Structure formats: structure tokens, C-alpha cells
Amino acid sequence: FFAESSAVGEKIRVFMPDGYGIGAADRRRLIAAFRSEPEPTEVSVRAENLFIKQMYLVRLASCIPSGCPPFTCDSGPGASDLLSAAYFANALRRGADAALVFGFGEDGVSVRFPDGAEFDPLSVTGLFLSRSGQRRVYFEPPLPSLLTRRFPTAAVLDDVSRKNESPTTLDRLYFFDPAFAAAELLRLATVFGTDRLEKMLSDIPPVFVEKRFVLISGSRDSFAEKINDLASNGLLDGENVRIVPGGPGAFRIWAQSTRTEAARELCDRAQDLILN
């Protein structure tokens, strides 16, 4: 927001995170929102949520170097937050070719370089773990054992560690929040350069995870029988393939490998075992 005085009174100009003014449709919605009369409790909740959001963006902006390389974002959760925070931090460079392109998904942030090299969220996590020193980093399960074997500081958050450890300490937000992960990549690119950052990511051995959701037909007894059958094959808590009940008549498959084709094949086999 930008306020200014004039002979006819006060004016408020509203800008988008990229610095451009809002369009006519957004202006109409904004005016309608101001003219509406929500309940007092609703106003309180809105104000509290707005305050929390602003504090979040201020914290995120403090993690983005003002001299970072030019970047852009694909759509997804975290993209608008990163762009807004970068605008606050005066780190957006308009008209410059992007040296980094961030993609945001439910598994975290991916990054793409101008030469076409792309690294998925697990590669990004592996890079952060390689630089985490001796401090333990706790993750919500499932966490690929291929990752934990390479980086002993990574651990699954169980009941014991949940009582004794904080999985989201302030200085480790980039492990759990895609926007903060992108900010950390921007910091590394600023310190080492984008070419060096790409090399650092390419040195992390890849881990590929394939996920499936499979529905089966039959009674509750047949579903229980299928669970027992899978357990006898060691697949309910396997090393490279894990199958867990996903609700009535449903299973979730989780397979890992160093090759994406192999992870897909493991998922195919597990799906065949469930359906046959």
C-alpha cells in the first residue's frame, strides 16, 4: 500500500508483489470488501491472520539477500510468498533473465537452471543436509532410507524425539517450508554463484520416490486378509517399498530407488500384489 495526500483528500494506491498496480477486477473486489460489514469476530480473525502473514513475510524477506541472482517462480504454494518477500527485500530484478527458476509443490521446492538442469525437492533437501554439520534434523515420516543412510544427521520424528526435539527450529525453516528453502538457495547462489550451486546439487546422489493410491473391492474381511498377506511378504514396512492402509478399501504405496524407472517398477509390482 502507498498513501499520499492531495488537494481532494487522501489517496491509497495498491500494488501487487511484482510492483505493478492492481487491475480493475481486483480493485472492484477490494472496494466491495471495504464496503462489506463483517461480524466483529470475523474482523478480529482477519486482522490476526493478516498480522501473522506479515510477520511471516518479514521473516522470509530477512533471509533473501538483496544482491541475489535474478529468479522467477512457477505457480504453486510458496511462489507468491517468495515474490512478495523478495519485493520487500528489494531483491526483485525486473527485465533480467532468470538465473534460477523455482517450482513449488506439496513435497517442497525444485530448482531449474538456464542450461535446463533441474533438481527435485529431495535433491534440495540432500544439499541442505550435506551442509547441516553435526546437528540432527528431524523429519515427519516417511523419509527415504536412501537419504538417511547418506546423511546421518537426518532422522525420522518419532514419539521420543517429538517430546525432546523441535522439528522446526527457526534457523532450520528451509527444511520444512518451500519458500524458505528457495530463499536459502538464493543465499547459496549469492555466496557461491549459480554455477557452483548447480554443481553442488549435481553432486548429491539422486533419490527418487514413487507414490500410488490403490483402491480394492471387497468386504472388510477381505481387506484385513489382504493386509495380512502383504505383511507376510514384508511389504508393509519394507526397505525400498512400503505399503500402508489408506482408508477403507484403500492402500498407499511408497517406493524409493536411485533411478526413477526402478522406483516406478517397484510401485507397479506392489500394485499388482494388492490387486491380485
Side-chain angles (χ1 to χ4, degrees):
F1 292 90
F2 175 73
E4 62 178 9
S5 299
S6 68
V8 295
E10 296 289 334
K11 290 184 179 180
I12 297 178
R13 296 182 182 180
V14 182
F15 297 90
M16 299 299 286
D18 59 6
Y20 294 97
I22 63 172
D26 289 326
R27 187 181 299 111
R28 285 194 296 270
R29 282 194 290 268
L30 186 61
I31 292 172
F34 274 110
R35 288 176 176 172
S36 64
E37 297 182 0
E39 294 294 326
T41 54
E42 185 181 348
V43 173
S44 177
V45 170
R46 285 184 185 179
E48 182 179 357
N49 289 341
L50 180 61
F51 175 75
I52 293 173
K53 185 69 171 183
Q54 290 300 318
M55 292 297 293
Y56 169 86
L57 290 177
V58 168
R59 170 62 179 163
L60 179 58
S62 70
C63 297
I64 302 176
S66 59
C68 68
F71 70 93
T72 187
C73 298
D74 293 335
S75 60
S80 61
D81 290 339
L82 182 67
L83 290 172
S84 297
Y87 178 72
F88 293 156
N90 194 28
L92 280 180
R93 295 169 59 183
R94 292 189 196 135
D97 293 332
L100 300 170
V101 179
F102 296 113
F104 294 87
E106 61 180 16
D107 294 327
V109 66
S110 61
V111 59
R112 187 168 70 251
F113 292 83
D115 61 3
E118 186 169 4
F119 300 92
D120 64 7
L122 282 176
S123 296
V124 173
T125 299
L127 173 63
F128 293 160
L129 285 171
S130 70
R131 303 181 56 80
S132 64
Q134 301 300 313
R135 293 183 58 187
R136 302 283 281 178
V137 182
Y138 291 91
F139 295 87
E140 293 284 349
L143 184 67
S145 61
L146 290 174
L147 202 64
T148 57
R149 286 202 297 267
R150 291 171 187 159
F151 304 105
T153 55
V156 174
L157 189 65
D158 55 20
D159 291 338
V160 175
S161 56
R162 197 182 300 274
K163 292 178 181 178
N164 301 325
E165 302 289 343
S166 171
T168 54
T169 52
L170 200 58
D171 62 336
R172 293 302 177 87
L173 276 172
Y174 51 79
F175 277 108
F176 309 100
D177 186 299
F180 275 86
E184 176 65 7
L185 289 174
L186 287 171
R187 188 189 71 80
L188 293 174
T190 304
V191 173
F192 298 105
T194 54
D195 290 342
R196 176 60 181 158
L197 175 61
E198 182 176 347
K199 178 66 167 56
M200 292 162 65
L201 283 163
S202 64
D203 287 342
I204 303 297
V207 176
F208 297 99
V209 174
E210 182 80 7
K211 300 175 183 178
R212 298 275 174 84
F213 185 78
V214 181
L215 291 170
I216 66 170
S217 58
S219 64
R220 182 177 298 179
D221 291 339
S222 63
F223 184 67
E225 184 179 343
K226 178 62 69 173
I227 290 178
N228 291 333
D229 182 45
L230 293 170
S232 65
N233 284 281
L235 287 174
L236 288 183
D237 195 16
E239 177 65 17
N240 293 322
V241 180
R242 189 163 183 257
I243 303 175
V244 297
F251 288 95
R252 295 187 185 276
I253 307 173
W254 189 89
Q256 65 171 356
S257 179
T258 56
R259 296 183 299 110
T260 182
E261 299 85 359
R264 195 170 294 119
E265 289 174 4
L266 287 171
C267 252
D268 289 339
R269 287 185 217 163
Q271 183 170 327
D272 290 341
L273 281 173
I274 291 173
L275 297 176
N276 297 326

